[in-house]
Amino acid sequence: MLRPPLPRFGPVLPCHPCPALPPLIDPDGLTLPWTGDAQPYGLVDLDRAPRTDAPLHLPPFPLLGIGDPTHPLASRLDALIELPVSLGAITQQIEAQPDAARVLVQLLRLIDGLDPAQALVAESLAYGLLQGSVGHARWLAAHAPAPVQSPGIIQVDRDGDRLAILIDRSDAHNAIDRDLRDGLRAAFDIAALDPDITHVSLRGAGRSFCTGADLSEFGTTRDPATAHDIRMQTLPAHALLRCADRLSVHVQGGCVGSGLEMAAFAGHITASADAWFHLPELAMGIIPGAGGCVSLSRRIGRQRAALMILSGKRINARTALGWGLVDTIMDD
């Protein structure tokens, strides 16, 4: 089925007073740079805020909107609360990892409208900052190293002007380890450098498209500067940018983390009805670092990208279709 025309924002959840929440922020107080106390997030009630086009200086933390999505201020906030994400779910995630949440929204503001190649550099620098953070160190200490699973391969098949790329590590739900990452970079380099290739497809073998980076490799490179250098040299997203308009992706089952980050660059995405999408990085004290802050914000907008990342909420194929994350739902 083709994506139906839908309004920019879905149904907005009602706001109920909660004493645990910080006080609502008056937008009139944001006409100058923030000078108040640091806090994990702020709330703006768009049902009560005056309808004004005055300049808005966003504070150095997530500014969430509740209420009327047609308010003139709505598009300037970091995220609007809408189904299937609840206010409680997103604030709980932010409070658990406030530093990562602050870095995320400041990054998304910075790269909005920035050249994608430059935006990837900014994302990597922000990711490296959080690799050295207390929040990420706490997550690493609380999680025993994941067991190493069987290796996989990247299958690349050329048929005339068409290049087919398959992630084949189905026993591990196509989790991407270092070898698969390097294989994907090489495959996308071929597509980017050969002008005779007019169509590139990316698929995942088995029941899942890709469940993201292999957890057994988290924490293996702890120096942020070294890790940034590695990302600049090997991240598939740098090559993906140069062939994204020729790339089609089909998603079945789980599409998680770096798998979703890469898929979102594609010019066309189809999904099975059982597909689901998830960005779990904030709970780990980091942000998407495989290009997702760039690809997601350009495909579904800065605010819904922030909503997905800040909440860690899984969304199904139907929601993904409505948001524009996928273009078509189809039978496998």
Side-chain angles (χ1 to χ4, degrees):
M1 64 189 75
L2 297 178
R3 182 170 71 220
L6 290 174
R8 174 173 170 76
F9 295 103
V12 177
L13 296 179
C15 174
H16 299 286
C18 175
L21 298 179
L24 293 170
I25 290 180
D26 182 354
D28 287 341
L30 297 176
T31 55
L32 295 173
W34 180 261
T35 58
D37 294 335
Q39 55 191 65
Y41 59 91
L43 297 176
V44 173
D45 186 345
L46 295 169
D47 290 333
R48 301 179 183 179
R51 302 183 78 85
T52 175
D53 292 322
L56 193 69
H57 289 269
L58 296 177
F61 49 78
L63 193 59
L64 310 175
I66 52 178
D68 181 10
T70 67
H71 192 288
L73 293 176
S75 64
R76 289 186 265 173
L77 306 181
D78 290 307
L80 299 183
I81 305 303
E82 62 171 313
L83 293 171
V85 176
S86 69
L87 179 60
I90 197 169
T91 55
Q92 183 178 15
Q93 284 275 112
I94 293 172
E95 288 171 347
Q97 291 286 0
D99 291 335
R102 293 186 189 104
V103 169
L104 171 73
V105 296
Q106 291 176 55
L107 173 67
L108 291 178
R109 298 168 193 169
L110 174 68
I111 66 175
D112 194 22
L114 193 65
D115 173 78
Q118 296 175 331
L120 282 177
V121 177
E123 178 189 283
S124 180
L125 291 169
Y127 185 90
L129 177 71
L130 291 170
Q131 278 184 299
S133 68
V134 171
H136 185 51
R138 186 169 60 243
W139 181 86
L140 287 172
H143 291 78
V148 177
Q149 303 185 65
S150 59
I153 59 172
I154 299 298
Q155 296 186 27
V156 182
D157 295 307
R158 174 83 179 262
D159 182 9
D161 61 355
R162 305 177 74 84
L163 188 73
I165 303 169
L166 179 71
I167 307 171
D168 191 357
R169 197 187 182 199
S170 58
D171 289 347
H173 293 277
N174 297 323
I176 298 174
D177 61 10
R178 189 174 308 169
D179 290 339
L180 292 186
R181 178 204 65 195
D182 293 345
L184 284 166
R185 176 59 187 263
F188 288 123
D189 275 335
I190 293 171
L193 294 170
D194 190 340
D196 292 331
I197 296 175
T198 61
H199 183 266
V200 186
S201 66
L202 176 65
R203 303 289 186 272
R207 295 175 295 167
S208 301
F209 169 71
C210 175
T211 52
D214 192 322
L215 291 180
S216 68
E217 297 189 352
F218 273 86
T220 55
T221 304
R222 296 301 301 273
D223 176 59
T226 300
H228 172 67
D229 284 341
I230 293 171
R231 286 190 294 274
M232 288 297 97
Q233 296 173 39
T234 65
L235 200 67
H238 294 290
L240 257 172
L241 280 179
R242 306 197 302 273
C243 62
D245 58 337
R246 293 174 279 151
L247 177 64
S248 66
V249 173
H250 179 69
V251 174
Q252 79 283 0
C255 184
V256 181
S258 57
L260 173 53
E261 297 176 59
M262 290 188 295
F265 279 108
H268 189 75
I269 303 176
T270 60
S272 301
D274 70 346
W276 52 275
F277 305 82
H278 184 210
L279 292 169
E281 288 83 3
L282 192 84
M284 304 161 70
I286 51 177
I287 60 176
C293 297
V294 181
S295 62
L296 268 293
S297 62
R298 278 152 177 74
R299 179 164 265 276
I300 63 174
R302 172 177 62 87
Q303 292 181 316
R304 278 180 169 154
L307 197 65
M308 279 194 73
I309 299 166
L310 289 173
S311 69
K313 173 73 175 179
R314 293 186 181 188
I315 65 171
N316 60 26
R318 180 65 61 181
T319 298
L321 182 70
W323 285 10
L325 183 54
V326 304
D327 300 294
T328 309
I329 297 176
M330 58 188 296
D331 294 332
D332 284 326

